[in-house]
Amino acid sequence: MGELLVKEKTIVVPGEELASGMDFLPSHGTYRENDKIYAGKLGLLNIDGKVLKIVSLSGRYLPKSGDTIIAKVTEILMTGWRVDTNSAYEAVLSMKEASSEFIQRGADLTKYYEIGDYVMAKVVNVTSQKLVDISMKGPGLRKLSGGRFLNVNTHKVPRIIGKQGSMVSLIKQHTNCKILVGQNGLVWVSGENPDAELLTVKAIKKIELEAHIPGLTDRIKKFLESNSTQKPVEQSQGEQ
Amino acid sequence: MAYPKRFDGRKNDEMRPIEAKAGVIKRADGSGWFKIGKTEAYAAVYGPRALYPRFLQDPEKGVLRCNYNMMPFSGSGDRVRPGPSRRSKELSMVTEKALRPILNLSEFPNAVVDVFIELPQTDAGSRCAGICAASIALADAGISMKDMVAAIGAGKVSDQKVVDLSYAEESHEEGATDIAMSFVHNTKELTLLQMDGDVSKEELAEIMEMAKKACDQINEIQRNALKEKFQAE
């Protein structure tokens, strides 16, 4: 007979007994020892049918294939660029993946991306040795110039984006700023004036701080309405 | 004349008052604070992050690096010279060995997890307090680990078996034995065992049982500290 020892959506701590018996299956962040399932990291317990999973709440970003991230160019190589991904591992952007146009061998790579440039890129491959390859081919992937960057907890990124991007578009409507959120916890904000950018930054920080309290969208809406000087604009600009 | 009553009036199996907190250092990836009596330890975890020089990297699994440091006026006597010394290097090493068995480092090859333990004030049992704080900090940093560890000093003062010795007890005139131990909570695997003094085989077994019970209590406090931080968050 299997028995669940912890309720769903509670905070669990490493080593905590989650379930006994063979009726449940350990998934991400949990492990089985004999006939019991234990927590293998700190986080929120998620139960999906018989599968027990832990959703992380803290920790650094680990590159994962398919993620869209914001990275900074740190070095120019013979055949591409090395970028900082805000994680323990650096990534390589090869010449082939850098742009849709053909880059001649031996061309001056700084014409495309200079050291210090930020790019929105996609992680295409991560090896077992954690060698990361990124690509600039894809919709919305580009060099980011101007604006400002801020660091957020990577596990709060889904809250900042919201359901189908609802949270980001809410902020965009009120501040008229361009916002791009990378899975690695870097956020790029660019607006017409500094005040709008500052408000956006404040709103994002507020989301990060209060992500766990219910009614987040309403609170952010209220916050933006009481603080923004301009009238909310309906999304008309094509920029995502 | 033996040791009929403990200096601070505790029972033989009673620890000094314990307090713990998680997430006390803002810029660290994870942090913990552990206070037992007058001994106080802060632990900060940074990483996983890139490890240089390159020859230290391990392509199979991540590396754990601990640093134990006593602050200048943390001792009970003269100013302690902070930084690496014969003692602090050894304690950094044993802390590392006490924590490594619970960590699943294979998730980040070639990277490092740094743990910095600082002690603003001490009254014996500082390595144990450091390990307890580091265990909280590692969990707070979201690092994959199979369990938590708790550590405690236990031993003999004169003819009495006691748990959690204070500095006064350690320097009892009729001699004292101090054994630092750390246990993995669920399996009760022993990850640290250091002794100063002498005991018989039977006494050691008894002292270890006392320490295990104390570690269960510590584990409870560590867990509550972590839950409190994330519940409030």
Side-chain angles (χ1 to χ4, degrees):
Chain A
M1 272 306 281
E3 194 194 349
L4 204 61
L5 300 163
V6 189
K7 273 198 227 105
E8 189 175 2
K9 295 271 177 258
T10 50
I11 314 264
V12 291
V13 177
E16 197 167 328
E17 258 180 65
L18 302 179
S20 65
M22 303 303 278
D23 286 354
F24 290 95
L25 293 169
S27 176
H28 184 78
T30 61
Y31 66 97
R32 183 191 291 284
E33 192 115 333
N34 299 322
D35 63 339
K36 284 184 177 134
I37 297 177
Y38 296 96
K41 60 159 71 170
L42 187 134
L44 215 59
L45 182 67
N46 199 325
I47 303 167
D48 184 12
K50 285 161 51 173
V51 181
L52 303 182
K53 189 174 112 181
I54 291 178
V55 180
S56 288
L57 293 168
S58 57
R60 298 279 293 258
Y61 172 71
L62 266 184
K64 202 166 85 263
S65 175
D67 281 356
T68 308
I69 61 169
I70 294 176
K72 185 188 183 184
V73 177
T74 54
E75 198 182 335
I76 292 165
L77 312 170
M78 292 299 288
T79 55
W81 297 262
R82 193 179 311 282
V83 298
D84 174 30
T85 57
N86 196 27
S87 74
Y89 306 101
E90 290 183 315
V92 172
L93 172 61
S94 75
M95 245 153 68
K96 215 166 69 186
E97 300 283 351
S99 102
S100 50
E101 64 183 276
F102 179 71
I103 303 174
Q104 202 81 49
R105 228 174 68 179
D108 181 14
L109 294 180
T110 57
K111 271 188 200 153
Y112 299 89
Y113 306 112
E114 261 279 33
I115 289 175
D117 282 350
Y118 282 89
V119 291
M120 185 94 183
K122 199 178 193 105
V123 179
V124 281
N125 190 31
V126 182
T127 67
S128 63
Q129 292 290 294
K130 300 280 179 192
L131 296 172
V132 185
D133 291 325
I134 60 167
S135 168
M136 297 295 295
K137 286 180 180 170
L141 304 182
R142 61 192 175 90
K143 185 161 112 179
L144 307 174
S145 34
R148 61 180 78 203
F149 294 89
L150 66 148
N151 245 311
V152 294
N153 183 339
T154 88
H155 304 284
K156 301 271 165 71
V157 164
R159 297 285 89 74
I160 293 167
I161 294 172
K163 277 195 188 108
Q164 271 124 37
S166 60
M167 194 66 89
V168 167
S169 42
L170 178 74
I171 304 174
K172 278 179 187 165
Q173 273 171 35
H174 283 87
T175 61
N176 209 8
C177 282
K178 295 175 193 166
I179 306 166
L180 289 176
V181 187
Q183 277 290 312
N184 58 342
L186 272 180
V187 181
W188 175 75
V189 177
S190 173
E192 285 146 3
N193 57 64
D195 289 339
E197 281 185 6
L198 276 176
L199 179 62
T200 311
V201 170
K202 266 190 198 156
I204 291 170
K205 286 278 168 206
K206 195 174 162 72
I207 297 171
E208 193 192 3
L209 224 68
E210 302 176 6
H212 57 288
I213 307 170
L216 182 67
T217 316
D218 291 341
R219 245 172 312 123
I220 298 301
K221 202 168 186 173
K222 232 173 244 168
F223 170 79
L224 287 166
E225 273 162 6
S226 60
N227 285 288
S228 78
T229 46
Q230 61 198 63
K231 282 194 194 107
V233 259
E234 277 313 308
Q235 261 202 315
S236 50
Q237 278 86 1
E239 203 61 58
Q240 75 137 15
Chain B
M1 145 224 112
Y3 188 55
K5 196 174 171 217
R6 295 183 77 172
F7 292 134
D8 43 13
R10 279 183 285 155
K11 290 191 208 94
N12 281 358
D13 60 350
E14 189 182 342
M15 291 179 288
R16 292 171 284 178
I18 302 174
E19 281 174 79
K21 259 187 208 145
V24 288
I25 298 163
K26 199 180 148 207
R27 301 283 296 169
D29 291 313
S31 56
W33 171 73
F34 190 86
K35 187 173 187 220
I36 178 160
K38 284 181 194 154
T39 305
E40 203 173 334
Y42 283 90
V45 171
Y46 297 88
R49 59 182 178 183
L51 175 57
Y52 291 104
R54 201 94 187 236
F55 69 83
L56 293 175
Q57 290 182 359
D58 185 340
E60 306 255 284
K61 57 188 190 324
V63 174
L64 173 71
R65 231 172 9 184
C66 291
N67 188 63
Y68 167 103
N69 187 37
M70 262 169 91
M71 286 181 174
F73 294 99
S74 59
S76 43
D78 281 350
R79 173 179 185 269
V80 182
R81 261 178 76 117
S85 63
R86 189 178 262 261
R87 186 181 114 88
S88 68
K89 271 184 186 161
E90 177 190 315
L91 295 187
S92 303
M93 185 200 73
V94 296
T95 306
E96 224 170 88
K97 290 190 170 176
L99 295 169
R100 197 177 293 134
I102 57 162
L103 295 176
N104 175 17
L105 294 169
S106 57
E107 272 181 25
F108 32 88
N110 292 329
V112 64
V113 176
D114 275 314
V115 181
F116 295 95
I117 299 165
E118 293 287 333
L119 296 126
Q121 61 174 24
T122 62
D123 179 21
S126 66
R127 74 198 69 184
C128 296
I131 290 169
C132 292
S135 180
I136 297 173
L138 285 164
D140 181 33
I143 286 160
S144 158
M145 53 205 273
K146 66 171 185 182
D147 210 336
M148 307 263 297
V149 284
I152 191 72
K156 230 171 67 176
V157 178
S158 187
D159 59 344
Q160 294 292 313
K161 287 181 224 42
V162 295
V163 82
D164 189 22
L165 283 77
S166 67
Y167 185 74
E169 286 177 321
E170 263 183 17
S171 43
H172 191 270
E173 55 185 358
E174 284 173 33
T177 306
D178 176 32
I179 310 170
M181 285 168 273
S182 79
F183 294 96
V184 176
H185 177 66
N186 285 326
T187 56
K188 288 287 169 293
E189 184 190 340
L190 190 66
T191 59
L192 166 78
L193 182 65
Q194 287 190 303
M195 180 168 84
D196 184 15
D198 48 62
V199 277
S200 70
K201 195 172 147 192
E202 291 74 29
E203 281 171 332
L204 177 66
E206 227 172 293
I207 290 167
M208 270 174 87
E209 279 312 311
M210 286 167 83
K212 271 183 202 170
K213 282 205 188 96
C215 281
D216 279 343
Q217 289 173 39
I218 294 175
N219 186 268
E220 195 64 37
I221 294 165
Q222 287 174 317
R223 285 185 174 188
N224 287 340
L226 285 164
K227 289 196 173 173
E228 213 169 278
K229 181 201 162 184
F230 286 92
Q231 222 100 58
E233 213 177 64

